Amino acid sequence: MEEELKCPVCGSLFREPIILPCSHNVCLPCARTIAVQTPEGEQHLPPLLHPRGPAPPPAAPPGPGPGPGAAAAPLDAESAAGGGEHADKLSLYSETDSGYGSYTPSLKSPNGVRVLPLVPAPPGSAAGAPRAGAASSALTCPQCHRSASLDQRGLRGFQRNRLLEAIVQRYQQGRAAAAAAKCQLCDRSPPEPAAVLCEQCEVLYCAACQLRCHPARGPFAKHRLVPPPGHPAAPGGGEAGGKAAGGGGRKVPTCAEHDLENYSMYCVSCRSPVCYQCLEEGRHAKHDVRALGAMWKQHKAQLSQALNGVSDKAKEAKEFLVQLKNLLQQIQENGLDYEACLVAQCDALVDALTRQKAKLLTKVTKEREHKLKVVWDQINHCTLKLRQSTGLMEYCLEVIKENDPSGFLQISDALIKRVQVSQEQWVKGALEPKVSAEFDLTLDSEPLLQAIHQLDFIQMKLPPVPLLQLEKCCTRNNSVTLAWRMPPLSHNPVEGYILELDDGDGGQFREVYVGKETLCTIDGLHFNSTYNARVKAFNSSGVGPYSKTVVLQTSDVAWFSFDPSSAHRDIVLSNDNQTATCSSYDDRVVLGTAAFSKGVHYWELHVDRYDNHPDPAFGIARINVVKDMMLGKDDKAWAMYVDNNRSWFMHCNSHTNRTEGGVCKGATVGVLLDLNKHNLTFYINGQQQGPPAFENIEGVFMPALSLNRNVQVTLHTGLEVPQSVKQPKLPSN
């Protein structure tokens, strides 16, 4: 966790940390050293930063050590000369309302922070005459290199990260207490640091004295050994520091804008806590404001949920490291076995075999070294990721322990994103060995003596039968995923695999995948269908036998959402792409993520908003339907469009079967697509709208919808086909 508590500029533990607009943190003293000017025309500092007296020489970039103090000399000198708040308030002009500048300084210090050297003012310019708008101050984040402009408050405009400050203080106190705990039985001078405390004996032991004086057997077997007081792992180890830094006696934080007001609400738009007076002044009047306690609990729950995923990956990584270390031993043993076998075969041949034997040994050695290198690289890479994830987990757990809602919410969004990114770094295949422990080498010792100089490793066997991993095979909607592996003791090389699938009706198998991967997902299958799958391996000698056949059943009903990639750009999706509205007064089309070519499917759309009597249209369409006009006006869509009184069926811009009964806010429109009977039927609030709207439809269809900005609908899928429907209304004349 210590890496999480270090400033990216000075490399030391944070001192007075502030939160940048990009959600990263930096020490306040370090922020003063990396704040630079953003000139518009000429690259000169404004008069605010010129020292009182002769112009100073250009400042050198800050060093990599704890150099913020030295690098801040020009600013501190100005403050000592009477500048006062000028060290923080570097400029009176903000470059943009968003807080991000567009200027990127050209130099880069050894610690990676971009800086701008001091440049003397041009000859003839008045050092004491400020030029309004001539320059604006900026601060470049040392981690993501995004530039943030300073407003009139200077560095005081950035929020103080009180939560991080409290954790740093508690961490320092815990580390100091742990270092102060010495072994009480050591005969060394000075005594060794204590490693454990016996709760029954009330004695501190170092590791050596604990083994010698307090063995885990006999009468000591029931004694409880715990970490020494002050150790971070000790029970309540951080309580003293927590209380001192921000526990029960901590002063309730007040609003940065209004010192006498406490934070009571949280502005979701600005992502910052606000007080009652902030809301009264109207600055956040039109913003989405929530209760502070509720948002605190919500973000804590999100962070905890994200941590669970990282914790599972860390556990898998530890198991994977054990697997890799076992693999190292197997490679060593198998390599030695192959060398011994090779030497025995070569020594049995005539003397002419000696020179060729050395060449073959070299090949085996290179193969072993390659495998060892690959595994060591995986171990190092996985260890680094595990250490980073563990440090982030420890830091997040400390953050969750805090009882400061406003401080927590200052950093919760960034932490949640970091934890999610940390979880996503364990991509598919990251926890699988890249090499096997087997050596795919076979020595042919039967050729005649005349062919000794052509002696080499050969492969003469077909690959064995792949083993399907049934625990990893699964189905989801109309997709199936299959996984397989080779037998554990197989020595025959494999160049690739061929996966075959039938048509879902017991028909002939067809190839759906050819490649080296051992995991494959096939999309676009029929719903409510049973598929048979099998796989075989091949190498240069030929194709091996088929595996056993696995039977996979696709979902009975379809679960899908609106597809943002196929929607018109004016369509606005929310609620995990289940709710759709439109930003245009014209009709715009959006499709679903599922495609149907077989079976019976039913879904419903709930009308959440209905203003000014628009005409939304519901139905099905092909993938290439026109998206910028009402559904059904071209020959690629079949739809029912409806107003507040009646409905019509439409295809190829032809209107048919007008039926009484419209929609309003709260209404439900059902769509029944029966591809067994090749027809399409519509329902409004459970009432069938006329006879089947369309018949003799065949092909591949996707759920579709067209609407404008006066309508909002929510999609409901995974529904069973209605068992009983009301009698259809007669079409009106």
Side-chain angles (χ1 to χ4, degrees), residues 562-611:
F562 292 121
D563 185 5
S565 63
S566 67
H568 191 278
R569 61 180 176 273
D570 293 337
I571 293 293
V572 180
L573 301 179
S574 59
N575 187 27
D576 292 331
N577 295 333
Q578 296 294 126
T579 299
T581 185
C582 182
S583 62
S584 171
Y585 285 106
D586 297 321
D587 293 309
R588 301 298 187 231
V589 173
V590 58
L591 302 180
T593 55
F596 305 121
S597 59
K598 177 184 175 183
V600 182
H601 309 281
Y602 178 75
W603 61 95
E604 292 181 347
L605 299 110
H606 183 268
V607 180
D608 304 324
R609 181 169 59 85
Y610 189 82
D611 304 329

Side-chain angles (χ1 to χ4, degrees), residues 9 26-36 62 67-73 75-76 87 90 111 113-116 139 155:
V9 178
V26 67
C27 294
L28 180 59
C30 297
R32 293 176 180 141
T33 68
I34 63 176
V36 297
L75 296 179
D76 291 339
L90 295 180
N111 57 4
V113 182
R114 298 183 180 275
V115 298
L116 184 69
L139 186 69
L155 293 177

Side-chain angles (χ1 to χ4, degrees), residues 6 25 40 60 63 75 114 117 182 199 220-221 286 300 310 395 451 484 493 557 610 630 633 657 691:
K6 288 184 177 180
N25 299 282
E40 294 178 357
L75 296 179
R114 298 183 180 275
K182 301 294 183 181
E199 292 186 338
F220 297 111
K286 296 184 179 180
K300 267 197 174 184
V310 178
Y395 172 60
W484 59 89
V557 294
Y610 189 82
M630 179 182 286
K633 287 204 170 186
N657 290 79

Side-chain angles (χ1 to χ4, degrees), residues 440-676:
D440 302 324
L441 305 171
T442 302
L443 181 65
D444 181 15
S445 59
E446 297 182 359
L448 298 174
L449 185 61
Q450 295 86 333
I452 282 182
H453 294 290
Q454 286 77 36
L455 188 64
D456 202 350
F457 297 104
I458 61 171
Q459 55 183 32
M460 296 294 293
K461 298 180 180 179
L462 296 176
V465 178
L467 302 178
L468 286 167
Q469 296 181 278
L470 300 181
E471 68 279 4
K472 295 183 179 181
C473 297
C474 62
T475 62
R476 184 180 182 276
N477 260 351
N478 59 339
S479 299
V480 298
T481 299
L482 296 108
W484 59 89
R485 62 181 177 85
M486 297 305 293
L489 300 179
S490 172
H491 299 280
N492 300 330
V494 175
E495 296 180 3
Y497 303 92
I498 300 174
L499 176 63
E500 296 182 355
L501 203 70
D502 68 358
D503 60 358
D505 285 328
Q508 293 184 349
F509 283 90
R510 68 186 190 280
E511 292 184 2
V512 294
Y513 171 76
V514 178
K516 296 182 179 180
E517 297 293 332
T518 58
L519 183 72
C520 181
T521 298
I522 302 99
D523 299 317
L525 303 177
H526 297 304
F527 284 92
N528 194 21
S529 299
T530 301
Y531 287 88
N532 297 303
R534 61 188 184 184
V535 65
K536 57 185 177 181
F538 63 88
N539 58 21
S540 58
S541 298
V543 179
Y546 284 106
S547 67
K548 293 182 179 180
T549 300
V550 62
V551 180
L552 299 166
Q553 174 73 36
T554 55
S555 301
D556 294 339
V557 294
W559 297 84
F560 59 91
S561 61
F562 292 121
D563 185 5
S565 63
S566 67
H568 191 278
R569 61 180 176 273
D570 293 337
I571 293 293
V572 180
L573 301 179
S574 59
N575 187 27
D576 292 331
N577 295 333
Q578 296 294 126
T579 299
T581 185
C582 182
S583 62
S584 171
Y585 285 106
D586 297 321
D587 293 309
R588 301 298 187 231
V589 173
V590 58
L591 302 180
T593 55
F596 305 121
S597 59
K598 177 184 175 183
V600 182
H601 309 281
Y602 178 75
W603 61 95
E604 292 181 347
L605 299 110
H606 183 268
V607 180
D608 304 324
R609 181 169 59 85
Y610 189 82
D611 304 329
N612 301 324
H613 311 301
D615 299 329
F618 310 87
I620 59 174
R622 302 197 190 278
I623 187 65
N624 57 344
V625 65
V626 178
K627 306 293 196 318
D628 57 357
M629 60 184 181
M630 179 182 286
L631 191 70
K633 287 204 170 186
D634 64 353
D635 61 346
K636 303 296 190 300
W638 294 257
M640 175 188 73
Y641 75 95
V642 59
D643 59 15
N644 60 325
N645 292 319
R646 64 203 69 179
S647 63
W648 294 263
F649 301 151
M650 186 164 63
H651 174 62
C652 291
N653 203 22
S654 174
H655 310 251
T656 58
N657 290 79
R658 187 181 74 175
T659 305
E660 296 300 326
V663 296
C664 60
K665 180 179 178 181
T668 299
V669 177
V671 182
L672 177 61
L673 175 62
D674 189 343
L675 291 173
N676 295 336

Side-chain angles (χ1 to χ4, degrees), residues 329-347 357 360-369 371 436-444 456-459 461 488-493:
Q329 182 178 359
Q330 294 178 14
I331 292 176
Q332 292 281 16
E333 294 174 355
N334 293 341
L336 293 174
D337 291 343
Y338 268 88
E339 286 186 2
C341 180
L342 180 62
V343 171
Q345 287 181 335
C346 290
D347 288 345
K357 179 180 68 175
L360 298 175
L361 282 172
T362 302
K363 287 187 177 182
V364 175
T365 303
K366 287 183 178 180
E367 179 70 8
R368 184 180 75 248
E369 290 176 351
K371 288 178 178 287
S436 67
E438 308 299 332
F439 283 66
D440 302 324
L441 305 171
T442 302
L443 181 65
D444 181 15
D456 202 350
F457 297 104
I458 61 171
Q459 55 183 32
K461 298 180 180 179
L489 300 179
S490 172
H491 299 280
N492 300 330

